[in-house]
Amino acid sequence: MNWRIKQVDKLVAYSTLSAVLMTWLLLVGLDAVRAFISEASDIGQGNYGFAAVTLHVLLTLPRRAYEWFSYAALIGSLLGLGTLAGTGELTALRAAGMSKLRICLSAAWSLGLLTALVAAMGETLAPGGEQQAQSLVLQAKSNDIAIGRRAGGIWARDGDTFINAKQGTTRQVDGLREVRLADVRVFEFTPRGQLLSIAIAESALHRAGEWTMEKVRRTEFGEAEAKSTTEASTRWKSGLDPRMLALSIIQPEYLSISDLRRNIRYLKRNQQDAQKFEMAYWGRLFWPFNTLLLVVCALPFAFGALRSGGMGKRIFIGMIVAIGWSFLQRSLVNVGAVYGINLAVATLLPAALLALVAIGYFRRAS
């Protein structure tokens, strides 16, 4: 088979890319409108007005574009080949001796560069825009920016020390970024799990690279007694990274590969569960491969119109099967995580099985 780019490849690429771009624009636009309507209900809280809502939605556009691209690539590719089938051009390509595999790969190759650009956007603009959007909303609704509020507050581990805070804020003061934790409890254990001390502070402030605890009541446990002391202010020697606190409350799917890797190392170093970050990491790493593979495996549904009618029905079935497979893949990854299967293998295995099915189909179709 001659794999040089020919005029027919350009024909398939133009039809595919134009349909993908139109579908992508439609999906992202609808999602942005839905987000705008949802955020508009909060107008009036603090300084959160129409301009802030608009800027918030604009900042999240890269993340939304990244999330919707796989679906746009799938649906647009099917519609692109469907257009060629409707005009008889797909029949002419088959009659000229162009195999189904070659046509499908021509469509996939045309999406290769676009997929790479979207993947790069997902590592740069998307995470940065999402974090800026969250900061914008919190800054507009209140004077400080909340690091995180959840049941039980914020939890972190620093070696044999466990930290709990009911809430956290961050703000810019004199050109420096400071982080303040409120209602802090620090539990210090021995390596064997014996409780050494409990420190309860009204707040803990991180500024200029060091922590300071304020209004502290510390209880130290001995073999036969407990000793309590109080201090107005004391330095807190802790490796607790404020940046990790901020990253930990952002959905892992919104982080870049480098931030996910950094979070995984941090959690594992402190013997904490990093599974959800590992799932997001491997999913992000294999995302370009899975996207293009899904397109190649779904495109054979477009050839049904060459033998019989009902092109729209066949394309619809192809979309449902492919999108259903995407949800099935996520389920299999979750099952793999539950049963302790290596998450890289669990993420890649469904795609590998799909690739084997596709190879078998194209061999029979050739």
Side-chain angles (χ1 to χ4, degrees):
M1 184 180 295
N2 188 351
W3 296 102
R4 290 181 302 174
I5 297 178
K6 298 181 179 180
Q7 194 65 31
V8 292
D9 295 310
K10 295 179 181 179
L11 172 67
V12 174
Y14 175 79
S15 180
T16 300
L17 283 176
S18 59
V20 167
L21 291 175
M22 290 180 62
T23 305
W24 194 22
L25 180 63
L26 177 63
L27 292 176
V28 175
L30 290 174
D31 189 36
V33 170
R34 179 200 59 78
F36 182 87
I37 295 173
S38 176
E39 289 294 325
S41 62
D42 293 335
I43 290 179
Q45 295 185 22
N47 297 320
Y48 197 52
F50 180 84
V53 171
T54 303
L55 182 56
H56 170 261
V57 174
L58 290 176
L59 286 171
T60 61
L61 281 180
R63 189 261 300 172
R64 299 179 194 280
Y66 177 84
E67 290 180 341
W68 283 106
F69 180 76
S70 294
Y71 297 102
L74 167 65
I75 297 172
S77 298
L78 285 169
L79 293 176
L81 283 192
T83 300
L84 293 179
T87 59
E89 292 171 289
L90 198 58
T91 303
L93 294 179
R94 291 288 287 132
M98 197 171 184
S99 68
K100 292 182 179 180
L101 176 60
R102 175 61 185 273
I103 296 174
C104 292
L105 290 180
S106 294
W109 284 338
S110 66
L111 291 173
L113 179 59
L114 184 57
T115 302
L117 292 175
V118 175
M121 179 180 68
E123 292 303 304
T124 53
L125 296 178
E130 186 66 31
Q131 293 175 32
Q132 288 183 26
Q134 291 186 10
S135 297
L136 170 70
V137 172
L138 293 169
Q139 214 167 17
K141 291 181 179 180
S142 60
N143 294 328
D144 295 332
I145 303 173
I147 291 178
R149 293 184 177 91
R150 61 180 66 178
I154 301 169
W155 283 93
R157 179 178 178 178
D158 179 18
D160 293 323
T161 302
F162 292 81
I163 301 99
N164 172 239
K166 295 304 179 183
Q167 64 178 354
T169 59
T170 178
R171 61 182 179 180
Q172 200 80 11
V173 179
D174 298 331
L176 297 175
R177 174 65 63 181
E178 70 174 29
V179 175
R180 181 181 294 273
L181 301 178
D183 196 2
V184 183
R185 288 166 173 77
V186 180
F187 305 88
E188 186 179 359
F189 293 85
T190 67
R192 295 165 56 183
Q194 180 182 356
L195 182 62
L196 287 177
S197 67
I198 299 176
I200 301 176
E202 184 178 284
S203 64
L205 177 67
H206 185 277
R207 192 174 186 220
E210 67 176 15
W211 287 96
T212 301
M213 298 178 70
E214 301 170 351
K215 297 183 179 179
V216 186
R217 185 174 76 252
R218 185 187 305 275
T219 302
E220 298 179 351
F221 299 93
E223 293 184 359
E225 61 179 359
K227 179 182 179 182
S228 294
T229 58
T230 59
E231 296 177 282
S233 177
T234 183
R235 289 185 178 180
W236 178 22
K237 296 180 180 179
S238 174
L240 186 63
D241 189 343
R243 187 167 182 269
M244 291 298 104
L245 282 176
L247 289 176
S248 66
I249 57 109
I250 299 173
Q251 294 186 42
E253 293 80 5
Y254 296 167
L255 298 177
S256 66
I257 288 179
S258 59
D259 282 337
L260 286 169
R261 187 186 299 115
R262 187 181 299 111
N263 240 330
I264 291 170
R265 290 174 179 173
Y266 175 81
L267 292 171
K268 286 187 173 180
R269 186 169 59 247
N270 290 284
Q271 300 179 359
Q272 293 179 271
D273 184 17
Q275 193 174 80
K276 65 177 182 179
F277 291 95
E278 289 181 319
M279 291 171 65
Y281 174 80
W282 291 113
R284 179 68 65 84
L285 198 64
F286 293 133
W287 178 84
F289 170 73
N290 286 335
T291 297
L292 294 177
L293 179 62
L294 189 58
V295 169
V296 172
C297 295
L299 285 179
F301 284 92
F303 291 95
L306 296 177
R307 299 185 300 271
S308 61
M311 182 63 194
K313 180 180 178 181
R314 293 179 184 276
I315 291 179
F316 176 75
I317 294 175
M319 293 177 187
I320 294 299
V321 170
I323 294 174
W325 177 84
S326 179
F327 285 109
L328 177 62
Q329 182 190 38
R330 294 182 186 180
S331 300
L332 291 176
V333 171
N334 290 331
V335 170
V338 170
Y339 287 96
I341 301 174
N342 183 282
L343 289 176
V345 175
T347 303
L348 194 57
L349 183 59
L353 294 175
L354 184 62
L356 291 176
V357 172
I359 290 173
Y361 168 80
F362 284 115
R363 282 186 175 179
R364 290 194 304 270
S366 59

